Amino acid sequence: MHFIGKHIHRVVRTLLIIMCCVFLHSVSTFAASDNASVWLLDSAEPLAKLSGTLQESLQNAKQLNALESSSIRLAPQTSHWLIIDLFQLPDNKNYVVYLGEPNLTWAKFYLLDESYQATDDQRLASLESLSNVRPHWLIEHSQGHRWALVNFEHDRALTLEVGVVAAKAFEINLHQIILSYGAILGVLILCMFVCAVYFFVSQQPKYLVLNAYFVLVCIGFLIDNGLINYLVNGLDWEAKWPVNEFALCFASYFLYHFLAIHTYKPRFKKAWQAMMVCLLSAAVLSSLLPQFNRQWIFIVSCIGFLSFAAAVFLRLMQRKNSRTHLRCFMLLTIVTQVLSLFIWNGFGIGYHGVHNTILLITSLAICSVLLLKDRQQISAFSYSMLHDADTKLPNKQFLLAQMVKKVSQKQHFSVLLFKPHVLSNARSTFGFEQANICINERLSILNTQLQTMNALKLEIQASRSAWLAHVDDSTFGCLVIGELELSHIEQFACLIHGVFEEGLTHEDINLVDSVDIGVAYYPMHGNTAKQILQCAIQAMTEKRLQGERWRMFDSESARLSEQRLSIAAALKMAIDENQLSLHFQPQICLKTGKVVGCEALLRWHHPVFGAVSPDVFIPIAESAGVINQLTEWVVENGIQWQAKFCKLIPDHVISINISAKDLLNKDLPVLLITILNEQKVRAESVMLELTESATLEESKKIKATLDDYRLIGLKLAIDDFGTGYSSLAYLSQLGFDEVKIDKQFVLNLPFSVNDQSICRATCDIAATLGAQVVAEGIEDEQSLAMLQSYGCQFGQGYYFSKPLCADDYLAWISDVQKVEISLDATANLID
């Protein structure tokens, strides 16, 4: 019981203390009201009349709290008096009377003595230079004044803050206000700078319009807070209406593009465009025709804009994509700014501080949305840089990044790349879009099956995880973690072949093709991620042996490939630096023993590689794309030497080898005609030799091209006859002037029955087709005799002469011309 009584006593004591505090507060408040020193009087009376009846007028005036700010609502076109009894203010202090609105129509300060006479009608400012920002007047006790009066009025309804405060406190407060204004101006200037940067980077007009919007908002802020007179003279409060109208017009234009309203339904798009035209018209009217009621024009414009903004917001909420949230936030931010202008400027509701705070926050929000949008675009760009657009799989750069991590961790792994050739066929047959759908289905199945294997999960996406990467257009890959096990790689290869062996199907069309798979292993095949990936690519491009499902990287094949690349690079320099030379092998008539011509053979002696065989560098030149330049060099130099050969042997014929790619070169006939005319060489003294395989590869275009060369007057020969697969009917259609028997059928002619049959048949076929026969590789008298018996007309080989350089060949034919040569004597001319 004692414990309960103790607690009751404490509660009663606490209640008594609270009641005493409330009573004392009430007494102090009552005393303050009795000693009220500030009144607000609604009166249009002049000072002379008001001063005579001041005591009576105070009975009808509204009392305000002394030394505190008060908010009052002004009706439009009404006059007000703020009256301060100086004798009731605390002594020994200076006070400031202030009004919280810099754009009043009229504001006047008066001081009265005890007899109610005006002692000084001049404004005594504490900080006179800042009186335009916040109108204020200084009251000094030392002057002995009795009353202070402020008369003010405004053209529109307005919520106004008035007060009487200590001079020092007011000065501190005014400096804080100026600092806050500076902060707001700094934010607005920052917004202008951001918009300008966006415009110069993107060249999109919407950012320039947004910049203009912020400029107008900044001008409106300066007018609202009395700062504009420090920068420009002559702009009063009325200038704010056209400024706000144009700002509203620019905001609507920016939102039209930022919210992508042009993608909406045509009716809605046209309605928004009509609204922008109306806003622009209202802005022009406010600027040029001040007799219009600018306030109501602005109110109607704001209502129209806010109505359309609400409709757009509802439309945006129905759209769900990555940009909806930012667009909604931007719309709400600008709407908040417009709504603040609408309430403050349209109806005069609110306070400067609240309006300025909204302006500060919303301006920062607009900049934040732009930066977030930019960040979103950067994120989308970064995603596109690391992912394939068609398959949404990680790309080569992403795969390399994962490989770099594994290399840095010294973790063993294998790169498995595969290339389904069916994808290229599907694109040409189904089209890109349908082919991508089909390949994505196959890849999705493969991606799912890789989950059960020892493959590295490259990425975890929102909808799925990725074990595969899209390396290039038709190449995909994955990482196999752990030590290299051939059986494990074989399982991966079987899985890939199994997924693609069904092929791609669309509209009852099924396409099936092979899959190339290449594997490289870290650290055996390289020390860096790029080396390993390059090794896997080389392994994938290597031809597989019969029965192989995949190829492991082979250093010897890589060395040969590197050598080919070196030769290709050196070959381009060889043409420019004149490292090439021509050798000429004589062609002899087998009946008369006379020299009838020669074959031009290209030779290349490299400073480092030494003598490089044509069998090596000619295929490389074709694959490297320099075969045309090489052939043009041979043709130009060969015909120049032919002009000299013809001076010794007028009927001399030079044979020049060209490939199928040369034959289809449109510039080659022009070059031939030009060189023949320059060197004054007859076209029929030049024989172009083509391999049988080359004519077969380009069979669709070859006949028309050969006819063009015949029109020039050139002769055509088919080289290496018997090594290709062309039919006799095809050869008869092309109509060659000469057929050359390949040396592989001549070298063992006396000892090979098959070679004898082939040579005899070739001579018979050539005779049937009306073509002459040239046998290559004649090295003994027995072969010569047999070819003569088959009806072969011409021959070349070491039995007559080896290939000679141009000067030696000139000397050789000069020596041959001095004597009468028989086929028996030609044997003595062997070098």
Side-chain angles (χ1 to χ4, degrees), residues 62-122:
K62 178 182 178 182
Q63 294 181 351
L64 302 178
N65 294 327
L67 304 181
E68 291 184 9
S69 61
S70 301
S71 297
I72 59 175
R73 180 70 179 173
L74 301 182
Q77 304 293 338
T78 57
S79 180
H80 303 268
W81 286 90
L82 187 65
I83 305 170
I84 303 102
D85 186 355
L86 301 181
F87 283 4
Q88 295 185 21
L89 294 176
D91 296 336
N92 302 322
K93 285 186 179 181
N94 293 332
Y95 294 92
V96 170
V97 182
Y98 71 90
L99 303 175
E101 173 56 53
N103 295 300
L104 294 170
T105 306
W106 167 268
K108 194 68 174 177
F109 176 74
Y110 303 96
L111 289 173
L112 304 181
D113 56 17
E114 292 184 4
S115 59
Y116 304 102
Q117 298 296 320
T119 59
D120 192 350
D121 60 353
Q122 299 298 319

Side-chain angles (χ1 to χ4, degrees), residues 273 327 719 741:
Q273 292 173 348
R327 287 174 175 172
D719 195 12
I741 302 175

